[in-house]
Amino acid sequence: MIYVNIDPIAFYIGSRPIGWYGIMVALAVITLIVWAALSVKKDPRLTYNMIINAALVGIPSAVIFSRLLHVIDQWDLYKDNLASIIGGSGLTIWGAVLGAALGIWIYSRFSKISFGHLADAISPGIILAQAIGRVGCTILGDDYGYPTTLPWGFVYTSPNSPAFQKYPLMDTPTHPVVTYEIFYCLIIFGILVLLRKKLKPDGSLFLVYLAFYSVWRIGSDFLREGTDFLFGLHQAQFIGVIVLIICIVLIAWRTRWVKKEEVTVADEPPAEKPAA
């Protein structure tokens, strides 16, 4: 067994607790923005203003949709206390990913930029940000798995941890599912970096990212507790099935491997017109 002795509350500002989860989520958002900003330097089709505007639209829409999917998933907890929907705790990764994608897609329609190209540029940053955010989940212990006899099962000892509140006797190790996810996300990050500029048309790398993450959520949720949503699946699994089917169809229909010559030509800046 591995004992997790970290208090989920990092410090207090006055009487308000500041948790490691919130800190890591903030760090994840910063990481994604930094990744996007660095991508701009090597991409003539993107500008810093595009990234800033996309963030201003994508972050709020991510939070709203993330909260919305959480409330839908846990409706039994909120139906008798609707006021707790606003400002309460609880977010979902699928809501954040799909909400941000929708917000940025709408922004791209008005700004006339390629949503697919922008999504491809930031896809590695998205999965890297998810890995960082899951560090916060690991410390908090809210997404604990089923009890396990494996030697690397986690036992949470802080009374502030949801896992401790579920298993207060401290002798029930559980699958560290979100820790598994950190390693998975880092592997997918490496794969996406290797595939950059090797898939066409625009949006293909983003589809690959969504497909990989869908596979993970479908499989990993069998190791963790959750609320049945439809057909005996958790909400994240059901969304993962839908997203995976769409991604497979689109990848098979439109995605192709780019030859080295095409990549070289695409990377070259357009030739300047001779002076009149």
Side-chain angles (χ1 to χ4, degrees):
M1 294 185 293
I2 299 175
Y3 289 90
V4 181
N5 302 313
I6 304 174
D7 190 336
I9 299 175
F11 55 88
Y12 288 84
I13 298 180
S15 61
R16 183 178 181 83
I18 304 298
W20 285 110
Y21 174 77
I23 293 172
M24 297 312 297
V25 169
L27 182 58
V29 173
I30 293 172
T31 298
L32 177 55
I33 294 175
V34 170
W35 176 274
L38 292 175
S39 299
V40 168
K41 290 184 176 181
K42 302 178 182 179
D43 196 324
R45 296 171 60 184
L46 297 175
T47 66
Y48 287 110
N49 284 339
M50 290 179 185
I51 298 301
I52 293 173
N53 291 335
L56 291 176
V57 174
I59 293 174
S61 59
V63 173
I64 292 171
F65 272 80
S66 181
R67 181 64 177 166
L68 176 62
L69 288 188
H70 168 75
V71 170
I72 292 173
D73 189 39
Q74 303 292 328
W75 180 244
D76 287 342
L77 300 177
Y78 292 98
K79 63 182 180 180
D80 297 324
N81 186 16
L82 299 182
S84 64
I85 293 176
I86 306 299
S89 61
L91 301 171
T92 66
I93 286 186
W94 268 132
V97 171
L98 299 180
L102 177 61
I104 294 174
W105 179 81
I106 293 173
Y107 160 69
S108 71
R109 296 302 92 189
F110 286 97
S111 60
K112 301 186 185 304
I113 66 173
S114 169
F115 168 77
H117 182 73
L118 176 58
D120 284 351
I122 66 176
S123 287
I126 296 174
I127 198 73
L128 180 60
Q130 287 179 221
I132 294 172
R134 282 308 196 186
V135 173
C137 292
T138 298
I139 296 173
L140 177 58
D142 60 334
D143 286 331
Y144 50 85
Y146 286 121
T148 180
T149 58
L150 294 172
W152 55 79
F154 277 18
V155 176
Y156 286 85
T157 62
S158 172
N160 293 318
S161 170
F164 176 87
Q165 296 165 15
K166 175 69 174 180
Y167 301 107
L169 297 179
M170 295 190 298
D171 61 354
T172 306
T174 59
H175 274 290
V177 181
V178 291
T179 307
Y180 299 157
E181 186 169 327
I182 293 172
F183 291 107
Y184 181 83
C185 288
L186 292 177
I187 292 172
I188 302 308
F189 169 74
I191 293 174
L192 294 180
V193 170
L194 291 175
L195 290 178
R196 292 178 74 191
K197 300 182 180 180
K198 294 183 179 179
L199 300 175
K200 290 292 181 181
D202 287 344
S204 296
L205 190 67
F206 184 61
L207 290 174
V208 171
Y209 150 71
L210 288 177
F212 272 126
Y213 189 64
S214 296
V215 170
W216 172 258
R217 287 315 302 261
I218 294 169
S220 67
D221 265 48
F222 286 114
L223 296 177
R224 79 174 90 194
E225 296 190 3
T227 305
D228 286 348
F229 185 69
L230 284 174
F231 310 116
L233 299 175
H234 299 167
Q235 183 193 72
Q237 290 177 302
F238 182 76
I239 294 175
V241 170
I242 301 301
V243 172
L244 181 60
I245 292 173
I246 294 173
C247 288
I248 289 176
V249 171
L250 291 177
I251 290 172
W253 173 49
R254 65 197 292 272
T255 299
R256 62 185 176 85
W257 192 266
V258 180
K259 297 179 180 179
K260 184 176 181 180
E261 293 78 7
E262 293 181 74
V263 175
T264 303
V265 172
D267 288 342
E268 292 179 355
E272 296 183 3
K273 295 182 180 180

